[in-house]
Amino acid sequence: MFRKVLIANRGEIARRIAATLRELGVRSVAVYSEADRGSLHTRICDEAVFIGPAEARESYLNIRAVVEAAQQSGADAVHPGFGFLAENAAFAEAVEKAGLTFIGPTPAQITAMGDKREARKIAERAGVPIVPGAEGADADALARAANAMGYPVIIKAALGGGGKGMQTARNEAELREGIEAAQRVAASAFGDPSVYIEKLLEHARHIEVQVLGDGHGRALHLYERDCTLQRRHQKVVEEAPSASLTSDQRTVVTHAAVRLAEAVRYRGAGTIETLLTREGQVYFLEMNTRLQVEHPVTELITGIDLVRAQLEIAATGKLPCEQHQLQRHGHAIEVRLYAEDAAKGFLPQVGTVSRVRWPYGPFVRVDHGIESGDSVSIHYDPMLAKIIAHGPDRETAIERLLAALDDTRVHGVVTNLPFLKALLRAPEVRKGSYDTEWIEREFLQPFAALMQAPAPELALAAAAIAEALGGSNATVAAPGAAPAAAPDPFAALGRWRQGGLGA
Ligand code: ADP
C-alpha cells in the first residue's frame, strides 16, 4: 500500500477519500486554492499544500501545480476524485512521468473513453448495443444522417460531460440550430467543437453499472445504479439497485459492462452508463473512467469501499474479491444537496453557511464538504453534500432519507432541500414510475407553483389543498383553541398531485 497520497480535489470527495486513507494508515495530502484556505478538506487531511488562485483553471485544473505539490509533499500516489482533472489523460500521464502512481485508469483508457464517439466504437466491438447514432464531418452530413435515422435526435459534444452542450432536435431546422449551439458550448467547455448525434430515446431510464478492472483483463461488476431522476440531464437522485430492472435485464446489463471493461483491460473503478427503454432494451451511453458522485449507494448495498478498492488496484493490480463473493443487501438512495435556489430557476448560491446541522440516523450517511462557518465559493460546483439512506427495501430507504432531510438544517445559504423533499414525496417517485425527462416535464411546474406562495401562506395553501382532497390531514381548530401543527407543505404537494388536481 502507498505511504502518502495526494488528493487532487476539494469538498466532499476530498474528505471521502481522506477517510479511507486514514483507515488504511496512509497519510493524506490536500491541495487548496486561495478560495479554499482553511476549508474542511484542508483541515481533515494530514497535510495541505497551496496550489494557486481561486480560479480552478489556475489551481485545481493546473496540472503542473498539482504534480509539483505531489512531489513537494513526498506523496507516492495521486487520487484525482471526480471532476477537475479526474478524466484528463495529460494529468494521468504527468503524474506517471513524475514517478508517482495515478489512482485510476491508464492515460490511453481515459483518452479512448473520453471521446464518446470512440467509446461507442469500443462498446460495439465488445458486443454492447449502442444508441443508434452518427458522426459527420459537418452539419450537412449530420443532417443527412438524422433525416435517414428519423427524428427526434440528440446532439452531443464528443468530449462532453455533465449534460453540457446536449441539444434535442425534432426536425432539420432545429438540428442545424442545435449543432451550432452544441459546437459553441463544446469548444468553450471541452476545448473541442466536435459533436455527433444519437437517436433520442424517449421515456428511458438511466441505468449505470459500477465496474472494477484489474488492468490485466479481469473485471467484476458491483451491480447497477438507477439515476433516472434528472434535471437538464444532470442527476438529482440516485439509487441502487434499480427498481425498474428485471433480473434478466440486470444480468444482461451487468454482463455487458464486464465484457466492455475486460475488452479494454480496464484498470480501476469505472462506470458504464446505459439507457433502458420502455421496451426493455439496454443501450450503451458512455463510460466514466473515475469514481462517480453517486458511488455511496453502491458501497451501502455491497459493503465494498470503492476508494479502498481503487487504492488496492493501483497498488497491487488485484481486485478486492471475486464476482461470486459479492452480494447486495437492501436498497440505498442518495440526494445531492446543492447551494442553489430551486424557486429561482436553480440559481447557484454563494455565501457563508452560518450554521449547519447534518442529519443523524443509524442508516443515514452524509458525505459533506462543509461545516458551520464554511463558505460556498462562486468558483466551484455548488454541491454541498450527499445525503444517503439505506434500508431493507426501497420504501424504507426513501422514508429514512425523508426523515434525514427533515432533520437537515443549512442556514446562511439557500439550498435545494425543499425541492428534494417535495420530489421524494411525489407519488410517481414513490411508485418508481418516471423517466429521465419526468422532472422537467411534470414536476417542475407544480413545484414552482408551491414555491411561489409567500412563506406564511404555504401552510394555509397546504391546508386548503388537503381540505379540497377530503380533509384527510386538515384539521380545523375551534376558535380559541391552540392552533393545529402546520401541515407540511411538501407532503401536501404530494397529496395535491395524487388527487389529480393537476399542475
Ligand atoms: P454527459 O456525459 O454529458 O452526462 P450522457 O451521454 O451521459 O451525457 O447523458 C446524460 C443524460 O442525458 C442521460 O442520462 C439521459 O438522461 C440523457 N440522454 C443522453 N443521451 C440520450 C439519448 N440518446 N436519448 C435520450 N436521452 C439521452
Side-chain angles (χ1 to χ4, degrees):
M1 189 36 73
F2 306 109
R3 243 179 353 90
K4 195 190 259 195
V5 172
L6 178 128
I7 304 166
N9 219 299
R10 63 182 299 283
E12 63 87 21
I13 189 60
R15 183 169 168 264
R16 162 71 192 88
I17 295 160
T20 291
L21 293 174
R22 171 152 310 145
E23 192 183 300
L24 295 175
V26 178
R27 281 184 74 78
S28 56
V29 183
V31 290
Y32 65 97
S33 71
E34 193 61 55
D36 273 342
R37 269 185 202 286
S39 66
L40 182 58
H41 77 283
T42 67
R43 302 200 293 272
I44 49 103
C45 284
D46 295 316
E47 295 168 35
V49 183
F50 177 72
I51 49 165
E55 291 76 29
R57 204 169 340 128
E58 300 188 47
S59 48
Y60 297 105
L61 288 170
N62 181 341
I63 294 179
R64 225 181 75 190
V66 176
V67 173
E68 272 174 19
Q71 287 175 308
Q72 182 195 323
S73 64
D76 40 19
V78 173
H79 194 307
F82 50 66
F84 294 130
L85 297 168
E87 288 173 290
N88 185 315
F91 177 60
E93 218 164 74
V95 168
E96 289 181 355
K97 274 217 183 88
L100 314 175
T101 303
F102 179 74
I103 299 165
T106 66
Q109 289 168 346
I110 297 175
T111 303
M113 292 301 178
D115 186 331
K116 294 183 179 187
R117 297 165 302 185
E118 185 62 28
R120 283 163 54 84
K121 286 173 195 140
I122 295 170
E124 206 171 20
R125 280 201 297 274
V128 183
I130 56 173
V131 183
E135 295 172 26
D138 52 28
D140 289 335
L142 285 172
R144 276 195 302 277
N147 291 338
M149 198 157 73
Y151 292 91
V153 300
I154 189 161
I155 307 152
K156 291 184 173 185
L159 306 189
K164 276 202 204 106
M166 240 183 268
Q167 299 274 336
T168 301
R170 301 200 172 264
N171 53 52
E172 189 173 331
E174 281 183 18
L175 180 81
R176 288 181 183 274
E177 217 173 281
I179 289 172
E180 263 185 44
Q183 283 174 332
R184 264 198 312 275
V185 175
S188 83
F190 312 114
D192 182 337
S194 307
V195 298
Y196 68 104
I197 56 170
E198 271 178 12
K199 184 104 188 130
L200 179 84
L201 301 178
E202 288 176 287
H203 305 294
R205 293 186 71 110
H206 177 112
I207 308 287
E208 58 181 39
V209 180
Q210 176 71 56
V211 295
L212 291 173
D214 67 358
H216 306 291
R218 282 185 62 236
L220 55 82
H221 72 82
L222 285 86
Y223 304 99
E224 82 284 358
R225 292 183 287 261
D226 189 319
C227 315
T228 301
L229 284 169
Q230 303 180 353
R231 191 182 71 84
R232 295 200 177 162
H233 307 304
Q234 283 179 293
K235 299 160 188 168
V236 178
V237 178
E238 300 109 336
E239 57 189 301
S242 169
S244 64
L245 217 52
T246 65
S247 76
D248 282 352
Q249 287 166 339
R250 177 168 296 116
T251 305
V252 168
V253 70
T254 53
H255 286 200
V258 169
R259 217 160 49 235
L260 176 52
E262 291 191 337
V264 298
R265 305 172 78 80
Y266 190 74
R267 182 181 79 191
T271 293
I272 284 134
E273 297 195 332
T274 73
L275 284 180
L276 171 71
T277 64
R278 247 196 319 215
E279 294 71 39
Q281 287 298 311
V282 171
Y283 293 102
F284 172 81
L285 264 187
E286 65 163 341
M287 178 166 189
N288 290 326
T289 53
R290 52 167 163 83
L291 195 65
Q292 301 271 96
V293 173
E294 57 273 22
H295 75 276
V297 294
T298 299
E299 297 187 320
L300 290 179
I301 66 156
T302 61
I304 298 283
D305 176 337
L306 282 166
V307 174
R308 182 180 180 142
Q310 288 184 298
L311 289 161
E312 284 173 356
I313 292 168
T316 68
K318 289 205 181 79
L319 295 173
C321 61
E322 302 284 334
Q323 187 72 61
H324 71 263
Q325 294 172 313
L326 270 169
Q327 278 179 350
R328 59 189 168 88
H329 299 281
H331 198 96
I333 181 161
E334 167 183 297
V335 289
R336 299 183 182 197
L337 183 72
Y338 281 101
E340 63 182 16
D341 192 345
K344 294 201 181 103
F346 295 87
L347 201 66
Q349 305 288 305
V350 296
T352 300
V353 177
S354 51
R355 178 177 163 256
V356 57
R357 186 178 81 197
W358 297 118
Y360 166 77
F363 299 100
V364 172
R365 165 172 166 180
V366 184
D367 283 22
H368 62 88
I370 52 151
E371 289 175 340
S372 296
D374 285 339
S375 58
V376 182
S377 158
I378 195 166
H379 297 284
Y380 314 116
D381 186 271
M383 191 171 82
L384 303 179
K386 298 169 321 205
I387 303 175
I388 313 119
H390 185 253
D393 50 54
R394 186 169 188 268
E395 190 56 27
T396 312
I398 292 178
E399 287 297 342
R400 286 175 174 167
L401 183 54
L402 267 170
L405 294 182
D406 287 342
D407 207 22
T408 302
R409 300 281 183 279
V410 181
H411 296 287
V413 173
V414 176
T415 72
N416 65 341
L417 200 53
F419 174 72
L420 297 172
K421 288 191 202 181
L423 185 63
L424 287 176
R425 288 194 163 102
E428 287 88 344
V429 172
R430 307 304 283 259
K431 281 186 294 198
S433 59
Y434 44 78
D435 57 50
T436 56
E437 308 269 328
W438 174 81
I439 288 184
E440 274 159 296
R441 195 179 57 233
E442 294 181 38
F443 184 73
L444 286 186
Q445 210 189 333
F447 175 72
L450 183 81
M451 292 306 283
Q452 266 158 22
E457 284 171 25
L458 277 177
L460 286 178
I465 290 164
E467 205 167 21
L469 287 172
S472 52
N473 274 19
T475 44
V476 182
D488 181 343
F490 304 110
L493 178 71
R495 288 197 296 276
W496 174 34
R497 304 190 65 254
Q498 203 157 29
L501 299 184

